[in-house]
Amino acid sequence: MLEAAGVTADEEAVYRLLVTVRSATAEEVARRTGRALGEAVGLLVRLERKGLAHRVDDEDGGAFAASAPDVALLPELQRNAVALDRARAAVTDLLDVYRGTLRRHDAGQLIEVVTGAEALRRRIQQVQGNARHEMMWFCKAEYVAMSSESNTEEFAALARGVRYRVLYERAYLEGPGAVDSLVAGVRAGEVARSVPTLPLRMAIADRELAICPLVPGGPQGSPERPTAAVVRGSSLLEALLALFESYWEHGVPLRVDASGAVTGASGEGPGAELSASDRHLLSLLVAGVTDKAIASQLRLSQRTVQRRVRDLMTATGAATRMQLAWLAARRGLI
């Protein structure tokens, strides 16, 4: 049991004996453990070298006593634990290099083709179950193998801390049960946005693996035997990541109020209630004018300009200044 601390089974047997007595000579150890005297002497000497036993001065002479287990064993166990963690990290690094080598020489390691609705559904469930940090989704109107409403794995992943960013095609939200599914997801922690159209259905896990159909699904495709690609670390995966981020940047944030109503789905936002000064500020922002120049033109402090920009971002649901400018132009606010 103490092998992790560098103690052999024979040494452990003698050490356990010493722990139960005040001290013992080699002859006593030999007699009580059934070992030859020479073997008992050798084991006691090894325990002494490892700091597990020490000699004591008493009337018997040549007696040994056990060192305290916490002093003798715990430091070695801690050193071994550190070494084990380092070895585990080294193995992980080697595994990444090994997989990268395979991918460079074997296309099958880069792209896996999954055929059939059931096989694709299981693969999507598996990917979500293995996700550690983030799932990114393109949620198109027509599903291929699994509808968003039936994706219960999302809630389990959200519960263990996986972030979900989901882009919904506007036509999806017009389907039966779609809004209820969206509301449930957002309330569980999903971050949702909407765009007019999406080019494909797609899921990306931890920025390391993507799943997307190779042929259109739904009524216009082949719902009986859909075919999808599982794409791992490659230039293709980088392109899919860039595609997601590009659409995400221009998506309208979807929020759920206390009554369960979804806001943002139709691109609604403040319009007529904006003051002439706010419209002027937005027009300057869209034109690329700096905060300092805007402050000068509107006769405001630069800090006030920045505060009003933040207020407009909050009012429109924009996550960045670039998105605020895009939403302002799209919604006719300027």
Side-chain angles (χ1 to χ4, degrees), residues 184-197:
V186 171
R187 284 179 169 172
E190 172 188 303
V191 181
R193 293 186 182 183
S194 173
V195 292
T197 60

Side-chain angles (χ1 to χ4, degrees), residues 92-332:
T92 300
D93 291 340
L94 287 171
L95 182 58
D96 289 340
V97 174
Y98 174 75
R99 287 173 174 168
T101 302
L102 285 180
R103 289 167 187 164
R104 285 192 295 272
H105 295 86
D106 183 0
Q109 297 292 324
L110 293 174
I111 301 177
E112 170 193 351
V113 177
V114 180
T115 302
E118 182 59 31
L120 180 54
R121 185 161 43 248
R122 287 197 304 269
R123 198 73 174 90
I124 295 173
Q125 291 169 340
Q126 179 189 43
V127 166
Q128 292 181 92
N130 293 335
R132 304 182 307 276
H133 308 296
E134 182 182 44
M135 289 293 305
M136 304 149 73
W137 288 82
F138 271 1
C139 194
K140 205 167 165 58
E142 296 171 351
Y143 70 88
V144 177
M146 182 172 67
S147 66
S148 297
E149 301 92 291
S150 64
N151 184 19
T152 57
E153 284 75 15
E154 173 180 352
F155 299 101
L158 284 167
R160 66 173 187 272
V162 177
R163 184 189 185 201
Y164 269 67
R165 286 196 289 159
V166 185
L167 265 172
Y168 291 93
E169 186 175 69
R170 193 156 300 146
Y172 164 84
L173 299 174
E174 299 173 1
V179 172
D180 290 340
S181 174
L182 167 65
V183 170
V186 171
R187 284 179 169 172
E190 172 188 303
V191 181
R193 293 186 182 183
S194 173
V195 292
T197 60
L198 286 170
L200 76 166
R201 273 193 165 251
M202 179 172 66
I204 303 177
D206 294 331
R207 308 183 74 87
E208 296 174 353
L209 179 150
I211 301 179
C212 57
L214 291 174
V215 294
Q220 285 74 40
S222 177
E224 291 81 12
R225 290 190 61 79
T227 301
V230 179
V231 182
R232 296 177 178 83
S234 60
S235 297
L236 177 57
L237 177 61
E238 292 300 321
L240 293 174
L241 285 167
L243 179 67
F244 178 90
E245 296 294 357
S246 175
Y247 272 80
W248 182 260
E249 180 69 22
H250 294 90
V252 177
L254 300 178
R255 297 181 176 84
V256 176
D257 62 22
S259 67
V262 178
T263 60
S266 301
E268 68 271 23
E273 68 270 29
L274 288 184
S275 66
S277 178
D278 281 339
R279 291 179 183 275
H280 189 188
L281 188 156
L282 276 175
S283 66
L284 295 172
L285 188 68
V286 171
V289 180
T290 66
D291 288 355
K292 183 177 181 180
I294 292 175
S296 175
Q297 290 204 32
L298 298 182
R299 294 183 175 83
L300 299 171
S301 70
Q302 191 169 339
R303 181 173 296 181
T304 298
V305 169
Q306 292 169 345
R307 177 183 56 77
R308 288 174 62 175
V309 169
R310 288 196 300 270
D311 291 343
L312 287 168
M313 289 173 62
T314 300
T316 58
T320 64
R321 285 183 168 222
M322 183 181 296
Q323 190 178 47
L324 171 62
W326 181 80
L327 290 173
R330 177 182 169 189
R331 296 177 183 176

Side-chain angles (χ1 to χ4, degrees), residues 23-43:
S23 64
T25 63
E27 290 80 2
E28 291 171 333
V29 170
R31 185 179 68 255
R32 298 183 64 169
T33 62
R35 288 175 165 79
L37 178 59
E39 182 184 3
V41 170
L43 289 169

Side-chain angles (χ1 to χ4, degrees), residues 20-58:
T20 63
V21 297
R22 182 172 176 270
S23 64
T25 63
E27 290 80 2
E28 291 171 333
V29 170
R31 185 179 68 255
R32 298 183 64 169
T33 62
R35 288 175 165 79
L37 178 59
E39 182 184 3
V41 170
L43 289 169
L44 286 168
V45 170
R46 282 154 56 183
L47 289 175
E48 184 180 24
R49 289 173 179 169
K50 292 181 178 181
L52 293 169
H54 59 276
R55 297 175 189 269
V56 295
D57 294 326
D58 59 16

